[in-house]
Amino acid sequence: MHIIVKRVALRFTSPTLRSLCTSRLSVKRSFSTMSEHFCEQVVFNKPKVELHVHLDGAIRVQTIIDVAKRRGISLPANSVKEMTQAIIVEKPATLTEFLGKFAEYMHVVAGDREAIKRIAYEFVEDKAKEGVIYVEVRYSPHFLANTSVDPIPWNQTEGNLTPDDVVHLVNQGLSEGEKAFNIKARSILCCMRHMPSWSMDVVELCKKYRNEGVVAIDLAGDESLNCEAYPGHRKAYEEAVRCGIHRTVHAGEVGPPSVVKEAVEVLKAERVGHGYRTLEDQTLYKQLLAQNMHFEVCPISSKLTGACNPDFTKHPVITFRKDKANYSLNTDDPLIFNSNLHLDYSTAQKYMGFTEDEFKRLNICSAKSSFLPEEEKKELLHKLYEAYEMMQRTAF
């Protein structure tokens, strides 16, 4: 969903999805909670892999309220229901509306050690409840820091939490969550297109923490800011290639196919975040199909960000499915969309022709395209094959 920021380190990151897909595509239905929707919409009750979700877009509303109370920060609402309504997006929104949603809560958790560790831990618990057995969660360390970052985001006063501290805290929260909820969680550190001066910091943090849970680097933000005009990103990705750091890039979400081409050819991306607009360049699309390039697809997000036609029956992932492309299904920013992974799956089944066999296939593809070391990847695949009763037929 990070199609967004052209401006200084303020907003962009992750999301909270609304349950738009009830009995119809209506977005005018009165407010209801995620649990009310998802208890009746679990269409694939088997282990899953998620590769594209933003930590700062997957925070519990109750946690925002708790942290704000502890820190003495005022909020626009004090109950979970009212605060949820203040944060969520219920229909395709403008850039300004999205930025305003992040501003409602990011200043609450940014710069606070206890909060950052807590949101990482709770994130793992929430994913375990969705049946996810492996997740790669991404975030910008600079957006959660309040010192050693210029400019300091979210109108914070300078404190003592550096981007390095942020990564350490997130690693701790994810690790403790793994032990408590018996799933595997790894992280991806985001560069921001509008802040190329941060990108070398990001790749250095990837190198420092590569043995403590950080598996890749990402580039997110306004796709109109290309690497020719902002060479800091290219230099960071060149260093990532040199050091064997895995690479994904947000591209082709709302930007043209040329952004995808740049991601793959210049930044040497191994996966593409979203990538829907690739279909507008059939030569490029066929090239990426031949390369088995992985597309990180986020169905609900793509509607609410305006990235795709709001009619789910015309979604690009239908073409991916028909072409047996390599892709995953993901939530992106479930907080702002008031959603979870079950909604993306039920939407795919109801409007896009997905079957249980296709859900199995895409999760196998997701595991194969994960940024885990080979031995851990083999273990993950074995778990999926076993759960899917595919031990004797692994043709996917």
Side-chain angles (χ1 to χ4, degrees), residues 52-262:
H52 190 119
V53 54
H54 295 265
L55 180 62
D56 44 350
I59 304 171
R60 294 177 184 174
V61 176
Q62 184 63 60
T63 297
I64 294 168
I65 293 172
D66 292 347
V67 174
K69 183 176 181 180
R70 173 172 59 79
R71 299 184 70 188
I73 298 173
S74 61
L75 292 172
N78 294 316
S79 72
V80 169
K81 183 174 182 178
E82 291 173 344
M83 191 63 195
T84 300
Q85 287 288 51
I87 294 173
I88 64 173
V89 170
E90 301 183 70
K91 59 185 178 180
T94 66
L95 169 61
T96 302
E97 288 171 325
F98 270 117
L99 297 182
K101 297 300 182 181
F102 298 125
E104 297 286 359
Y105 68 89
M106 279 298 293
H107 63 291
V108 175
V109 297
D112 188 87
R113 284 176 163 78
E114 182 181 328
I116 290 168
K117 183 176 176 181
R118 174 176 171 177
I119 64 174
Y121 179 88
E122 291 177 344
F123 170 83
V124 179
E125 181 178 17
D126 292 341
K127 287 298 152 186
K129 289 177 179 177
E130 294 173 20
V132 174
I133 62 169
Y134 176 68
V135 61
E136 290 176 2
V137 60
R138 61 190 70 193
Y139 64 97
S140 164
H142 295 74
F143 269 154
L144 290 168
N146 61 15
T147 192
S148 298
V149 53
D150 183 23
I152 297 173
W154 313 111
N155 297 316
Q156 299 176 88
T157 56
E158 184 163 10
N160 60 2
L161 191 69
T162 68
D164 190 303
D165 294 331
V166 169
V167 177
H168 181 68
L169 289 162
V170 171
N171 289 348
Q172 283 186 323
L174 295 179
S175 178
E176 291 178 15
E178 284 185 293
K179 294 181 179 70
F181 307 111
N182 195 33
I183 78 169
K184 185 167 285 191
R186 298 292 182 264
S187 60
I188 297 172
L189 305 186
C190 294
C191 304
M192 302 305 302
R193 287 187 182 269
H194 69 296
M195 290 303 302
S197 61
W198 293 352
S199 292
M200 285 306 297
D201 288 347
V202 173
V203 75
E204 290 301 320
L205 289 169
C206 289
K207 288 159 62 177
K208 179 176 180 178
Y209 290 104
R210 66 190 308 170
N211 295 319
E212 297 177 44
V214 175
V215 293
I217 191 170
D218 180 30
L219 176 60
D222 188 342
E223 292 182 49
S224 70
L225 307 179
N226 64 35
C227 292
E228 185 175 342
Y230 293 80
H233 304 312
R234 177 176 49 77
K235 292 176 183 176
Y237 270 70
E238 287 173 351
E239 177 67 5
V241 172
R242 189 185 72 82
C243 296
I245 301 296
H246 287 296
R247 302 160 305 282
T248 183
V249 175
H250 283 68
E253 182 176 12
V254 294
S258 59
V259 181
V260 179
K261 189 177 180 70
E262 178 186 73

Side-chain angles (χ1 to χ4, degrees), residues 363-382:
N363 276 282
I364 295 296
C365 287
S366 302
K368 289 179 177 178
S369 299
S370 73
F371 292 142
L372 282 172
E374 285 305 313
E375 284 305 311
E376 291 183 59
K377 189 179 293 189
K378 288 177 183 176
E379 292 173 9
L380 174 60
L381 284 164
H382 181 82

Side-chain angles (χ1 to χ4, degrees), residues 15 19 45 55 81 91 230 244 287 334-335 384 393:
S19 310
N45 194 21
L55 180 62
K81 183 174 182 178
K91 59 185 178 180
Y230 293 80
Q287 173 192 329
L335 167 64
L384 292 178
R393 62 180 182 95

